[in-house]
Amino acid sequence: MPQTPDNLLARLKAAGIQATTHRHPPLHTVAESKALRGALPGLHVKNLFLRARPPHPFLLVVAEEDTPLSINALARRLDTGRLSMASEAELWDRLGVRPGSVTPFALVNASAGSVRLVMDRRLLEGQGPVNLHPLTNTATTAIAAPDLRRFLESLGHTPEAIDLVEAPASPLA
């Protein structure tokens, strides 16, 4: 059985990780989040859970919310071959969450190595807290970036920090 939001928050607390959780109506999109959150400080994210062809594991991409993402460009950059959105059943089977609740915290439900975690470097090295769903889209939990990394590593899921904002091509001389 997947972990519950309360179990997750208890694990964070037991690990000595300070996290602040705000309850709210269900959010399904970045636009809904922006409209509801007010002045909630820190970095806000969007998450993609993608299926790769074997032998590659599933891929969880976590980006700052305004980062434009192309699945085809990600596939080329990460050398995964073709990627597609994972199904609702695959999301539940691998991460134990429903659509709209995808979060790196869901790796608490995934065995080590079963999901490749790619995160925007800004989320792992930023100054402010990172705001994530705690396994449900009816809450947002703020956690310091170093604590997020430490927690994910304790689960056996070391994030690959990459710059998801690609520099524009340099003009020809």
Side-chain angles (χ1 to χ4, degrees):
M1 192 71 185
Q3 295 284 307
T4 67
D6 288 340
N7 293 143
L8 170 71
L9 296 174
R11 283 182 77 153
L12 292 171
K13 185 175 182 178
I17 295 173
Q18 183 178 7
T20 304
T21 300
H22 307 274
R23 307 281 176 195
H24 49 69
L27 301 173
H28 296 93
T29 66
V30 168
E32 288 176 356
S33 175
K34 285 181 175 183
L36 185 67
R37 77 168 153 248
L40 188 62
L43 298 166
H44 300 270
V45 305
K46 64 180 170 187
N47 305 277
L48 295 176
F49 189 58
L50 304 168
R51 179 186 330 105
R53 290 189 178 165
H56 300 286
F58 281 80
L59 181 67
L60 176 57
V61 178
V62 185
E64 194 277 328
E65 69 184 352
D66 291 322
T67 303
L69 294 176
S70 159
I71 292 174
N72 291 334
L74 282 169
R76 285 188 303 274
R77 184 157 182 210
L78 301 173
D79 196 28
T80 61
R82 183 180 170 163
L83 292 171
S84 59
M85 296 298 290
S87 70
E88 185 173 342
E90 290 167 328
L91 178 60
W92 180 255
D93 288 344
R94 300 309 187 288
L95 297 182
V97 294
R98 301 290 182 205
S101 298
V102 178
T103 173
F105 283 141
L107 291 168
V108 72
N109 294 315
S111 60
S114 64
V115 176
R116 180 179 174 188
L117 175 60
V118 175
M119 293 185 68
D120 190 316
R121 185 175 313 283
R122 295 174 293 175
L123 300 173
L124 294 169
E125 298 172 1
Q127 295 300 313
V130 179
N131 292 284
L132 308 163
H133 288 315
L135 309 178
T136 178
N137 64 353
T138 60
T140 297
T141 296
I143 182 172
D147 288 338
L148 175 60
R149 180 187 288 270
R150 182 168 53 96
F151 182 71
L152 294 169
E153 288 174 350
S154 77
L155 300 173
H157 297 282
T158 300
E160 293 177 46
I162 66 171
D163 184 0
L164 287 172
V165 179
E166 298 208 21
S170 59
L172 297 175

